[in-house]
Structure formats: C-alpha cells, structure tokens
Amino acid sequence: MPAKPVGMYDFVVVGVGPAGARFARRAAESGFDVLALEKGTVGTPLACSGHVSTDIWNYVPDEARETLFQNRIYGANFHTGGPTTDAHLFYKTEEVSNVIDRVQLDRTLADCARRAGADVREDHTVTAVDERRDHVAVTASIAGEEGTQTFETQMVAGCDGPVSRVRQAAGLPEPDEKLHGVLAFTEEVDHTDHVDVHLTVPQFFAWRIPRGEAGVEYGLAAPPGGDVTERFERLTESYGVETDRFCSGAIPIGPPDSVTTDRVFLIGDAAGQTKPFTGGGILYGMTAADCAARHIDPRRPASLDVYESAWRQTLSTEIRMGQLIRRAYSLPESVQRLGLSALAGEIGVHMDKPSSFFSKTHLKRLFS
Ligand SMILES: Cc1cc2nc3c(=O)[nH]c(=O)nc-3n(C[C@H](O)[C@H](O)[C@H](O)COP(=O)(O)OP(=O)(O)OC[C@H]3O[C@@H](n4cnc5c(N)ncnc54)[C@H](O)[C@@H]3O)c2cc1C
C-alpha cells in the first residue's frame, strides 16, 4: 500500500457531538492521525434532553459521573391527554435511565478524544468536502479569521448532525423524515423518578422530565410544518408553568439506504441512527461510532462497506422495532387508552433495545 503523503490526515471528523467525539477518540486510540472540526463551541447550542439509558456510563470516565448526573428515572407515566388525564405507569424496579447534563457530556467526550491524541478544533465550520480519487479535501472557515483553510485527508467522517453538510456534499440520501423537537426549562426542583409522556402530538409525543436540582424540562417533537410552538405553549399552559431557555432542533428518523461513499462515511444523526420511538440518538450514534472505528481502515476504501453492514447489523433490528412501537402513537385515543390500561405496570424493557419489549420472556410476563 502506498505511504500516506506528509501532512495528510487519516480522518477528518466533521462535527464534535457524541458521534464525532466518540469516533475521534476511538480512531486516535488506534493510532490514526485525526483532525476533528466543530463549527462552534463543543456542546452548544443545546437541543437535547440528555435522557439516556444507564449504558451512557460505559462511554465516559468514572470521574465525570458527578458532573453529568442530574436524576435517575425508573419509569414513565403515559397520558392520552394532558397532565390531569389518567396516567398509566410503566416502570422497572431498577433504574431505566438517567437524566444528564448534555452540554457537559459533549465536553467530556471531546476531552476524551483530545486525550487520546485527536486534534479537536472549535470555531471551524466546514464549508466544502471535495472527494477525489485518492483523498478528500475539506475546507473550513475559521471564526474571526478571513478566508478559509483546506485540509487533506484519506477519509472524512460526517458527524455533523441531522442537517448534515457532509451528507449533502457527498450526494448521500436524506433520512426518511426529520421531526421538529422543542424544549425549555423551569427552575422547579424535582427529584421524582418518572417522566411524563403525553400522546397528544401527531405521530409523536410531548414530555415532562424532572431534572433534580437542574429544574424541570418540558418538550415535544412533531413532524415539521405543524404548529409545534403553539402545541408547546398549550403543553406548558396545561402544567401552569412559564419556561425559559427555549431550544429547538431536528430529529432524523429512518436511516437512508446508504451512509458511505468511497472515502466519506456518516455517523450519528447525519446517518439517521436514532430510536424512532423516542428520537434519542446519543447512544445509537456512539454505538455506530465504535463500529466505524473497529472496521474502517483509512487506507482501504473497501472497508467502508464493512462499516455499512456492521452498523446495520447492530442497530437495524432495534430501529425497525422502534418504528413498530412508534405506530402506537398514531392509534385512535380510545385504542391507546385500552392498550395502556392493559399493558401498564412493571416492564422488563431496555430503553435502547425495543426488541426487548417483543422478547418471549417479556411478552409472557405482560400477558400472564
Ligand atoms: C429536542 C430534542 C431532544 C432530544 N433528546 C434526546 C434525549 O433525551 N436522548 C437522546 O439520546 N437523544 C436526544 N435527542 C437527539 C440527540 O440530540 C441526537 O441524536 C444527538 O445529538 C446526535 O449526536 P451527533 O453527534 O450525531 O450530532 P450532534 O449532537 O447534532 O452533533 C453534530 C455537531 O456537528 C457540528 N456541525 C454541524 N455542521 C458543522 C459544520 N459544517 N462544520 C463543523 N461542525 C459542524 C454541530 O455544531 C454539532 O456540534 C434529542 C434531540 C432533540 C432535537
């Protein structure tokens, strides 16, 4: 194999969210030259609840736990209407999930990448990705500087979120749909251990998340073009609260048929690697990042095919099962109420593995 020219990176990673930071860390640990470019400051602007399964702790150093942790969650109260309607509690006797500080999560993951040897640069907005036969040229503008800088690399990891410039530049297909998510906070201190889910939004849901000392979060996601902001106002009115720090972002659902070209590959939201029934993508993105780091060799474009099938093998059954669960959000209210009454109670489901809902053991327990 020909030697890599001096000054050429093995990987340029575009975007330093969870997927980009995790891939940068893993690739640097394998000895590759990694440059990771983030358009702003890592972790900002916030557009995420940071509600994750306890698997998150496998991805951060133990000492980060104290800074990141906000609350532990054992279950969810499902309502077919607002907060005063009947609640159907689904719970586990051990923790289902944790609520964490998402801004600090991104910073922690970026620090892990830096410590592993990746060159992580903030204030670098990638403006062009030009894929050539034997390398890729990545152009970025740098905040506060005139002109642009171009970096040469063997491969590019597009980890630049739901509205991915890399995906567009590489001519890769879009995810099936993009929901519009919004959220905001109050300062109520709330250490209760369940979230509230309201099936009052077309094709998705609204939520209330207690975040311990960090307040309470109210949010919802819905197909774009709908009256998302109005619906959000109705939600907070129904709870009788005034929120601040309003955030908004896109949630891709349904990965495209291909997330790789010869020298460019996508990870995380850019690749639509999210849970269709919650919109959560932090853990799926980092799982796929580990697949990418395990299988991709920057000197061998053919290794991208291995990544493409490996991540699908790991996540596509869960994504399909998640799509099935999501269909229940669109059932008539009377059917939802019947289903929730019949199924509520203790459940044995892993938050990131909807297949566990359909497992023989779980179904037997539900219907016994
Ligand atoms: C309202 C809402 C609530 C959510 N709640 C949860 C939740 O509770 N749990 C969960 O698991 N998931 C949740 N998600 C989804 C979660 O936020 C994403 O799945 C996750 O952030 C995806 O990580 P990522 O690294 O792929 O992309 P991102 O986190 O979006 O990171 C992409 C990075 O790329 C950078 N970037 C973009 N363009 C460029 C460019 N041209 N040049 C350089 N850098 C660029 C961005 O600044 C960003 O830092 C929520 C999403 C929304 C919208």
Side-chain angles (χ1 to χ4, degrees):
M1 222 164 286
K4 178 172 64 112
V6 177
M8 181 169 305
Y9 290 97
D10 291 310
F11 294 106
V12 168
V13 179
V14 183
V16 187
R22 179 70 184 180
F23 177 75
R25 171 187 174 174
R26 281 292 185 225
E29 283 171 349
S30 300
F32 292 117
D33 290 333
V34 180
L35 172 66
L37 303 175
E38 167 54 47
K39 73 175 173 188
T41 304
V42 169
T44 62
L46 173 70
C48 176
S49 307
H51 179 213
V52 284
S53 75
T54 51
D55 291 1
I56 193 68
W57 305 116
N58 299 329
Y59 292 84
V60 293
D62 290 345
E63 60 273 19
R65 198 184 174 106
E66 206 181 317
T67 326
L68 300 184
F69 176 84
Q70 292 178 335
N71 199 11
R72 58 188 92 248
I73 300 295
Y74 284 75
N77 254 329
F78 279 79
H79 308 254
T80 53
T84 54
T85 60
D86 276 1
H88 305 272
L89 181 64
F90 290 72
Y91 68 93
K92 255 174 135 172
T93 47
E94 73 258 33
E95 277 170 51
V96 178
S97 54
N98 286 170
V99 185
I100 60 164
D101 181 333
R102 169 63 203 267
V103 173
Q104 288 302 334
L105 173 71
D106 285 22
R107 291 183 182 157
T108 303
L109 295 167
D111 284 345
C112 290
R114 283 191 185 100
R115 273 202 299 276
D119 180 356
V120 178
R121 300 190 199 174
E122 298 183 310
D123 293 329
H124 281 61
T125 303
V126 169
T127 54
V129 177
D130 183 8
E131 187 172 354
R132 318 235 170 106
R133 191 188 53 77
D134 57 353
H135 74 282
V136 191
V138 177
T139 303
S141 63
I142 303 159
E145 289 182 21
E146 277 187 22
T148 56
Q149 203 173 340
T150 297
F151 306 94
E152 299 203 325
T153 177
Q154 309 217 65
M155 284 194 182
V156 169
C159 307
D160 49 345
V163 192
S164 166
R165 180 179 280 268
V166 176
R167 184 175 66 221
Q168 189 196 21
L172 287 165
E174 295 281 310
D176 292 345
E177 63 181 311
K178 283 189 214 110
L179 301 179
H180 180 187
V182 293
L183 54 86
F185 305 88
T186 62
E187 291 188 353
E188 311 153 80
V189 171
D190 189 343
H191 291 277
T192 52
D193 59 12
H194 64 267
V195 297
D196 286 281
V197 174
H198 299 278
L199 302 176
T200 49
V201 171
Q203 298 169 46
F204 218 68
F205 58 85
W207 62 83
R208 177 189 188 275
I209 302 179
R211 310 189 71 94
E213 299 292 319
V216 172
E217 176 194 312
Y218 298 84
L220 65 85
D227 42 1
V228 170
T229 317
E230 258 170 54
R231 281 180 184 281
F232 181 74
E233 276 163 15
R234 284 208 291 276
L235 174 75
T236 52
E237 262 166 36
S238 66
Y239 272 102
V241 294
E242 293 242 347
T243 53
D244 65 2
R245 291 184 288 141
F246 184 82
C247 323
S248 163
I251 301 178
I253 306 275
D257 290 341
S258 166
V259 301
T260 54
T261 65
D262 283 347
R263 292 186 175 275
V264 175
F265 56 100
L266 308 176
I267 315 177
D269 272 20
Q273 291 157 341
T274 61
K275 288 182 277 183
F277 68 115
T278 67
I282 295 173
L283 280 154
Y284 279 16
M286 290 202 287
T287 303
D290 284 355
C291 264
R294 201 172 309 124
H295 295 292
I296 299 174
D297 178 343
R299 295 156 301 185
R300 290 195 313 110
S303 63
L304 290 183
D305 295 342
V306 186
Y307 163 63
E308 183 85 77
S309 49
W311 81 259
R312 286 180 199 276
Q313 211 164 15
T314 312
L315 292 177
S316 65
T317 302
E318 299 303 342
I319 291 177
R320 246 194 340 269
M321 296 289 169
Q323 266 149 354
L324 271 182
I325 292 179
R326 185 178 165 212
R327 283 201 200 147
Y329 304 158
S330 302
L331 291 171
E333 190 183 331
S334 53
V335 181
Q336 285 178 338
R337 224 178 296 124
L338 266 179
L340 289 172
S341 308
L343 299 177
E346 190 179 344
I347 48 162
V349 175
H350 186 295
M351 186 180 168
D352 298 327
K353 298 191 180 103
S355 59
S356 56
F357 182 86
F358 298 101
S359 71
K360 251 195 206 153
T361 335
H362 186 243
L363 291 177
K364 216 158 124 192
R365 192 148 114 210
L366 269 183
F367 294 110
S368 65

